[in-house]
Amino acid sequence: MTENQTERKAWMGLLARAPEGRVAELIDAHALNQTMSHLRPPEIGSVMVQGRAGGTGAAFNLGEMTVTRCTLRLDCSTVGHGHVQGRRKADAEAAALVDALMQTDAADRVRDTVLDVLEEEERLRRATRAAKAAATKVDFFTMVRGED
Amino acid sequence: MYVAVKGGERAIENAHAWLAEERRGDPSIDELSVAQIREQLSLAVNRVMAEGSLFDPDLAALAIKQARGDLIEAIFLIRAYRTTLPRFGSSEPIETSDMQCDRRISATFKDVPGGQILGPTFDYTHRLIDFKLAADGEIPDAAEVPTDPEPVPHVTGFLNKEGLIEEALDDEEAPRDLTREPLELPADRALRLQALTRADEGFTLGMAYSTQRGYARNHAFVGELRIGTVPVEMDIPELGFAIEIGEITVTECESVNQFKGSKTERPQFTRGYGLVFGQTERKAISMALVDRALRWEELGEDFVGAPAQDAEFVLYHGDNIQATGFLEHIKLPHYVDFQSELELVRKLRREAGASQVQEAAE
């Protein structure tokens, strides 16, 4: 995978995990004024999630999850893809728009106003949860039974 | 001869209107929102997602509302909805070793790297009704201990290092999918795990309990139980690489079982595996025990006739939608079937009566 692909993979994941409505909130008005056309209008479907027996063994089908995807093209013919969890057409469209803009001159601004914010919010969400989990960490100790 | 029933449209319509009214209950009481169900009845939502076999908390919450809290009815709604969705593809297998754990405990090892994390558990509560909940009580804040993320490796890995436990190796095969082809026996482990993860919780629990009580005795320890979120990755053909398409909560249980060895295997610990959508630990532990019992053949153990060892019995009776569909259909009109039964019984009685009269005459 090239460096560009690794970067793109990272922001697409971030967009997929963002809370409902958040990406659209962060995109500024200028970006929303972009004229664009749908190559694939927002579409709801499912993805079969796989697990592995024993965590590391043979793959098996765990069950499906809902996913919404969208592909659009900016006037400059840059193509953006969006995949988000759940049934969220507006969010899939917003994700595709950000993906497209990140491949244009607007990338720096979009990184500052959208991706960096999402990243920080996600980091905070996870840190809070991890801190609550850490507060429930126990040290069980076995009692001396008096055999010695 | 089967004759369909006709009529009853108005009665059916009225019954459904009344159902809607009863679902709402007393209109002077606030109506439940779907978000309230999703947030405050989250374990019911998790069960509906697991057995409905579709991860979508909002949809599961809506189904629970529509079903008036009847979880099997809600699961039925989810299964029906699922069939209307186009399938975009299959994910990469999720990596549970990368889980961000809310909970992670081991009953076999006291000191595990990453620690024993209780998480938001009912364990160690006194199971006394808490009347404060009825009184609009204040919720105490959960304590926080800022922490650096540290890896939480699978517990069975430690036993693997000594060669004391069987390894779970990837066979690189595409798993069979019982949502695409009918469940046919013999079922390999992948297919059994798919059937078990969506099987009825009560059924799976009963089966697992039977193994503990001595039917296909397999003394199981919970080697590890973990609950948390894992990313889901899928290959996107248009991109030419895999991306994360979301994050799901799952519960994973690895059981560790004594194994005295067999003709083909040396004495070592063996494993059962449970992996279920959502925070669903009773189901995940049950699944691991039943998975282990069903593995008797590949481990060279004897079939002792226990129900939990019988793949046909377990896999064909664990699905609550199939079961309830067949069970509940017998309450629908069977007038013609029954009419013929009635005729048959009358005829048999006439014949029996005639022969008695004849015997008496002789």
Side-chain angles (χ1 to χ4, degrees):
Chain A
M1 218 154 109
T2 67
E3 198 177 317
N4 283 346
Q5 284 179 336
T6 312
E7 248 185 83
R8 191 171 180 199
K9 178 180 167 137
W11 79 57
M12 290 183 90
L14 193 61
L15 293 164
R17 298 188 303 268
E20 182 156 11
R22 191 61 182 135
V23 178
E25 268 169 28
L26 292 171
I27 296 178
D28 59 33
H30 173 74
L32 284 175
N33 287 338
Q34 282 275 348
T35 41
M36 55 192 177
S37 52
H38 283 133
L39 293 180
R40 182 161 60 199
E43 177 190 17
I44 296 169
S46 78
V47 167
M48 177 55 89
V49 181
Q50 295 192 355
R52 287 190 182 287
T56 53
F60 70 95
N61 291 306
L62 176 63
E64 288 164 278
M65 65 188 274
T66 49
V67 173
T68 310
R69 66 182 179 188
C70 174
T71 303
L72 49 77
R73 184 168 51 200
L74 303 181
D75 269 357
C76 59
S77 82
T78 310
V79 173
H81 295 286
H83 284 77
V84 299
Q85 181 173 0
R87 293 155 297 117
R88 301 187 284 144
K89 290 187 174 180
D91 287 340
E93 195 166 37
L97 177 59
V98 171
D99 180 50
L101 290 171
M102 280 301 293
Q103 303 167 66
T104 66
D105 295 342
D108 285 345
R109 204 185 63 238
V110 173
R111 172 162 289 290
D112 284 351
T113 55
V114 181
L115 298 182
D116 285 353
V117 180
L118 289 178
E119 219 163 64
E120 179 56 18
E121 287 174 352
E122 184 176 76
R123 194 195 60 73
L124 201 67
R125 265 199 316 274
R126 288 181 171 175
T128 307
R129 215 153 170 98
K132 286 178 186 170
T136 68
K137 212 177 258 193
V138 282
D139 298 308
F140 286 118
F141 49 91
T142 41
M143 307 295 277
V144 177
R145 293 192 197 167
E147 285 107 343
D148 307 321
Chain B
M1 187 178 75
Y2 177 74
V3 182
V5 286
K6 283 174 71 176
E9 287 90 349
R10 182 188 294 167
I12 291 170
E13 238 169 64
N14 291 346
H16 291 171
W18 193 16
L19 166 69
E21 200 181 279
E22 288 285 304
R23 172 191 297 125
R24 176 62 184 85
D26 180 350
S28 69
I29 308 280
D30 288 343
E31 186 179 351
L32 260 181
S33 72
V34 171
Q36 284 172 335
I37 296 172
R38 185 193 65 219
E39 296 300 315
Q40 297 175 39
L41 296 177
S42 53
L43 299 191
V45 167
N46 287 342
R47 181 169 175 191
V48 169
M49 293 198 298
E51 295 169 34
S53 204
L54 185 69
F55 194 100
D56 188 322
D58 291 291
L59 204 63
L62 177 59
I64 290 170
K65 178 170 176 166
Q66 186 179 335
R68 305 176 66 190
D70 178 340
L71 297 190
I72 292 184
E73 181 72 20
I75 292 159
F76 202 155
L77 295 170
I78 294 295
R79 291 271 186 97
Y81 174 80
R82 189 203 68 77
T83 60
T84 66
L85 293 174
R87 170 92 54 97
F88 292 162
S90 254
S91 80
E92 306 283 321
I94 54 174
E95 296 294 343
T96 50
S97 52
D98 295 343
M99 184 184 288
Q100 309 213 24
C101 295
D102 283 353
R103 173 162 166 79
R104 189 280 194 123
I105 53 171
S106 170
T108 52
F109 294 100
K110 187 161 60 74
D111 303 305
V112 283
Q116 305 253 7
I117 303 162
L118 292 182
T121 179
F122 292 128
D123 292 355
Y124 312 109
T125 63
H126 296 292
R127 266 72 184 216
L128 299 173
I129 289 279
D130 182 359
F131 291 98
K132 287 205 295 288
L133 284 174
D136 225 0
E138 300 245 318
I139 313 297
D141 285 335
E144 292 181 23
V145 175
T147 179
D148 289 324
E150 59 177 321
V152 186
H154 276 122
V155 168
T156 44
F158 311 135
L159 283 170
N160 270 353
K161 282 182 193 144
E162 280 185 76
L164 291 178
I165 192 163
E166 57 161 337
E167 283 193 87
L169 299 172
D170 183 8
D171 61 5
E172 312 255 330
E173 276 191 42
R176 284 159 71 185
D177 181 356
L178 62 78
T179 68
R180 289 295 154 106
E181 45 180 307
L183 176 59
E184 272 174 23
L185 299 173
D188 60 13
R189 191 173 180 204
L191 198 61
R192 297 197 303 256
L193 289 172
Q194 184 183 12
L196 288 175
T197 191
R198 52 192 253 150
D200 184 73
E201 178 173 311
F203 178 89
T204 316
L205 171 65
M207 281 290 129
Y209 181 44
S210 76
T211 70
Q212 291 186 295
R213 287 196 65 251
Y215 293 87
R217 184 164 182 77
N218 257 304
H219 189 265
F221 294 99
V222 171
E224 181 169 6
L225 177 74
R226 52 168 71 195
I227 303 174
T229 53
V230 287
V232 180
E233 277 203 8
M234 183 169 80
D235 202 45
I236 308 293
E238 302 91 300
L239 296 171
F241 54 88
I243 61 163
E244 279 182 27
I245 51 169
E247 199 171 55
I248 59 172
T249 303
V250 293
T251 303
E252 182 185 48
C253 175
E254 289 230 63
S255 71
V256 175
N257 299 66
Q258 292 168 0
F259 184 62
K260 294 192 178 71
S262 68
K263 285 164 228 138
T264 52
E265 301 288 338
R266 294 200 308 163
Q268 60 176 357
F269 291 105
T270 55
R271 302 158 69 166
Y273 189 66
L275 183 66
V276 185
F277 279 158
Q279 181 177 343
T280 42
E281 70 182 55
R282 185 184 302 116
K283 171 69 179 288
I285 300 169
S286 302
M287 176 175 169
L289 266 58
V290 177
D291 169 50
R292 176 60 188 80
L294 288 172
R295 296 184 61 215
W296 63 272
E297 201 165 9
E298 64 208 52
L299 293 169
E301 293 174 331
D302 290 330
F303 178 74
V304 297
Q309 285 183 306
D310 185 337
E312 182 173 342
F313 186 83
V314 173
L315 303 182
Y316 281 179
H317 300 106
D319 190 289
N320 52 24
I321 300 312
Q322 275 173 12
T324 207
F326 197 66
L327 183 111
E328 294 201 49
H329 101 279
I330 63 173
K331 72 192 173 186
L332 301 176
H334 278 67
Y335 308 132
V336 176
D337 285 358
F338 189 70
Q339 195 64 39
S340 69
E341 298 272 316
L342 203 59
E343 283 303 316
L344 181 64
V345 172
R346 281 183 181 139
K347 181 166 168 264
L348 290 171
R349 282 173 65 97
R350 269 198 307 274
E351 284 167 9
S355 67
Q356 269 171 8
V357 171
Q358 199 171 6
E359 272 171 34
E362 285 165 6

